[in-house]
Amino acid sequence: MQRLFVMFPDRGPGLGLLWLRLCLAAALCTPGAWAGVVMAVCALAVGLLLLGWLTPLSAVLACVGLWLQGAPLPLLLLPLALLLLGPGAYSLDARQFGRRLLGRRPPPNG
């Protein structure tokens, strides 16, 4: 997953990506569109988006869910923006796949 995203931005850009995930999850929760398969796809996408886990999969599921709901084209392109930008620092993806600072090893005795 780390190979998909160059970095996981924090501060302003990270909060912007968090806001993008939250808005996309809210767009999937439109009343009246929750029936059968659409409900299952949208519920899974909303859960993954809110957590910021498996962002590429959740963006694809969000696009499918919005398409099944009959959303207009600009709203269908919103998951594409998330797919290209990545999850950001405030997500489970950043915790699981982000870069880690490794401590220095003590020099070998000898």
Side-chain angles (χ1 to χ4, degrees):
M1 178 76 71
Q2 185 177 353
R3 292 181 183 158
L4 293 176
F5 309 113
V6 177
M7 61 183 188
F8 295 93
D10 59 352
R11 297 188 186 125
L15 290 173
L17 288 168
L18 175 63
W19 184 250
L20 180 64
R21 286 197 331 260
L22 294 175
C23 289
L24 187 55
L28 286 166
C29 293
T30 56
W34 289 73
V37 175
V38 176
M39 180 178 165
V41 170
C42 291
L44 182 60
V46 166
L48 291 175
L49 285 168
L50 290 178
L51 294 174
W53 190 53
L54 300 175
T55 301
L57 174 66
S58 64
V60 169
L61 285 175
C63 191
V64 169
L66 290 170
W67 179 70
L68 290 173
Q69 290 179 7
L73 183 62
L75 193 57
L76 282 174
L77 295 178
L78 191 61
L80 178 64
L82 185 63
L83 182 66
L84 294 174
L85 292 172
Y90 308 112
S91 65
L92 288 180
D93 281 344
R95 291 269 184 208
Q96 187 173 7
F97 303 111
R99 297 179 189 256
R100 292 170 177 75
L101 296 174
L102 302 176
R104 292 183 174 223
R105 289 186 176 179
N109 295 333

